Amino acid sequence: MKTEIISLPNQKEASKKTKLDYNNLKVMLPSSFLMDWGKNKKFCIRTYGCQANVRDSEIIRNYLLDIGMTEQDDFLGADFVLFNTCAVRENAENHLYGELGLCKNSYLKNKDMIIAVCGCVVQEDEATKFILDHIKHVRLIFGTSRINSFYSILEDSIKSNKRIVNVSSNDFDVYEEPIGSKDSRLSTIKAFVNIMYGCDKYCTYCIVPYTRGRERSRKEEDIINEVLKLKELGYKEVTLLGQNVDAYGKDRGEKYAFASLLEKVAATGIERIRFTTPYPSDFNSEVFDVMSKYKNIMPSIHMPLQSGSNNILKKMNRRYTREEYLEVIKSLREKIPHVYITTDIIVGFPNESDQDFEDTLSLVNEVKYDAAFTFIYSKRPGTPASKLIDHISDETKHARFDRLKILVDSLTTLSASKFVNRECKVLFDTVSKKDKTMISGYTEEGKLVHVKGDSSLLGQIKTVKILNSHTFSLIGEVIDE
Ligand code: 5AD
Ligand code: SF4
């Protein structure tokens, strides 16, 4: 099969500013050719990584449903398989190559199967080259900048019988988000809503600015209309998404636009609002004021720390000190006393000393996070940190990671135990796969709760008395039936 390269990734180009025409955003409509092609065909999507990827997959899923295709869980028997990839750490990438290997068997049984790879991995120069050269059963490669061109990429490949590569690193779109039917999202209860794409922070370890481009904010009215539509469809919760939500509007010269956007989202009256992720030094008191003013903004914050050492924070190009981070936590707790605080921490950044690591431990102890995601530093191609020569052994890094994990888990267990005997509002959204009489949901703080019940609880917010706690979940009973 011939390959048509429309554009390849170029990580060096990714820092260039994208010129955007915000007034010319179109929701894609399928051609009659694709409507015909899609009939009776099946697709399967595998998504890795963060909520931005989950949302992108939902958008593409919606495009596929709109051309009459049906979804299935397995590769085998699917006509179209999509891998939406994550490049943040090397093991996610390795997992992708394993899955692509497994998918080959299904492909060999049906050579008309179209296998597509999109997302952050294909925005890496070397990865796309590797897939092109070595994984010949991949037919479509398209970048995070090309969601809006999905139909035309698919149609071109079917008509020309070619492999198509369409990844660009310097003309990212702000794409419009179709919400035609209830089915377009994976959940009918909770929805992710993009407010902005990309990242301008350039933390030295992180590949995201190279894979998702510069910050681009969606128009406020589009976001509000989407939330209103979701509310009308019966959704109970929205999570506003952006790599640095506090940078919302900055690319269009607006100041404190996130606080004002958040207030407008709260005023829609949707029952629950969350947002992720704030950047510590940009997270301002205007946002805290809005959070404390509106009951439908949930009292939970995920604020990445990365390291508790000033030395490492500087090398990471994080634009705050340990002291400034602690100050933000203090004023957040003053405004919202019961706020549930979670974070991300990286262990083993190149040449992290024992003292640097101890500084991280002491900060974690001081903040007493309710939960934290911990990672071992992973070298990412094209990032400034990847050029550093590291003198710390893997053994030391793993030992540090284990110590941090023990501390974090003990804090999470402590935080969970404080819920016992409390009455919490829980939004139920899942029936247990193993035991159909167990229903799960989340408290306002974002803690997972299991209760005895049936599917009639789904989509409802109920008062639950918490009876027992584990590290990662609570057991309770509904008391306001
Ligand atoms: N290695 C390890 N963890 C990373 N993260 C981002 N880049 C890397 C990397 N190269 C983590 C950060 C970020 C989270 C989403 O992933 O903690 O907040
Ligand atoms: Fe990566 Fe830093 Fe941007 Fe987060 S803020 S996406 S860690 S560059």
Side-chain angles (χ1 to χ4, degrees), residues 8-210:
L8 283 168
N10 181 340
Q11 284 177 244
K12 281 207 179 106
E13 287 278 298
S15 60
K16 289 196 179 154
K17 200 117 194 129
T18 309
K19 269 216 169 98
L20 290 170
D21 181 358
Y22 283 94
N23 295 317
N24 204 14
L25 304 173
K26 288 191 202 91
V27 175
M28 280 197 307
L29 293 173
S31 63
S32 53
F33 172 85
L34 281 181
M35 293 297 291
D36 230 40
W37 181 84
K39 258 184 234 152
N40 304 322
K41 287 205 169 59
K42 300 182 195 102
F43 70 89
C44 163
I45 300 183
R46 288 275 190 278
T47 307
Y48 307 91
C50 66
Q51 293 103 325
N53 265 17
V54 173
R55 182 67 196 123
D56 284 351
S57 287
E58 282 181 338
I59 292 172
I60 299 168
R61 174 177 178 266
N62 195 45
Y63 289 145
L64 295 167
L65 291 172
D66 277 355
I67 57 170
M69 295 181 81
T70 48
E71 190 172 22
Q72 64 172 44
D73 284 343
D74 291 330
F75 312 137
L76 196 64
D79 302 281
F80 181 83
V81 179
L82 177 71
F83 292 90
N84 189 1
T85 62
C86 170
V88 138
R89 281 169 294 276
E90 196 182 358
N91 43 10
E93 224 173 298
N94 292 339
H95 188 61
L96 165 75
Y97 295 125
E99 288 272 288
L100 280 172
L102 291 176
C103 192
K104 191 169 180 183
N105 293 334
S106 309
Y107 170 77
L108 291 174
K109 291 192 181 112
N110 167 22
K111 294 221 171 148
D112 288 332
M113 175 192 265
I114 296 180
I115 300 174
V117 185
C118 69
C120 287
V121 168
V122 298
Q123 296 288 152
E124 281 176 48
D125 307 356
E126 288 305 316
T128 286
K129 193 169 174 308
F130 178 79
I131 296 173
L132 273 176
D133 292 347
H134 300 286
I135 313 182
K136 301 281 184 200
H137 54 289
V138 170
R139 168 103 165 243
L140 305 182
I141 297 179
F142 62 96
T144 54
S145 59
R146 288 295 177 265
I147 310 276
N148 249 1
S149 311
F150 174 70
Y151 278 145
S152 63
I153 295 169
L154 178 63
E155 184 166 338
D156 287 353
S157 174
I158 299 167
K159 283 184 173 162
S160 65
N161 201 29
K162 281 183 186 161
R163 298 175 91 190
I164 294 198
V165 186
N166 192 343
V167 181
S168 174
S169 300
N170 64 4
D171 62 341
F172 287 83
D173 287 337
V174 172
Y175 35 91
E176 240 346 284
E177 315 241 344
I179 47 162
S181 70
K182 243 188 154 172
D183 285 337
S184 68
R185 297 192 190 236
L186 293 168
S187 163
T188 53
I189 300 163
K190 303 198 293 192
F192 291 133
V193 175
N194 281 317
I195 64 166
M196 57 188 299
Y197 312 96
C199 180
D200 276 5
K201 290 287 190 220
Y202 291 94
C203 301
T204 56
Y205 51 82
C206 186
I207 201 165
V208 168
Y210 310 91

Side-chain angles (χ1 to χ4, degrees), residues 88-89 205-206 304 306 344-346 375-378 380:
V88 138
R89 281 169 294 276
Y205 51 82
C206 186
Q306 313 303 4
D344 291 341
I345 302 167
I346 299 176
F375 310 102
I376 293 186
Y377 168 76
S378 168
R380 302 288 56 219

Side-chain angles (χ1 to χ4, degrees), residues 71 149 246 326 340 417:
E71 190 172 22
S149 311
D246 354 60
L326 287 168
Y340 190 87
S417 70

Side-chain angles (χ1 to χ4, degrees), residues 55 74 144 204 206 209 226 260 269 278 291 338 341 348 384 390 407 420:
R55 182 67 196 123
D74 291 330
T144 54
T204 56
C206 186
E226 187 172 341
S260 133
M291 286 180 73
H338 298 297
I341 305 179
D390 188 9
L407 172 61
V420 176

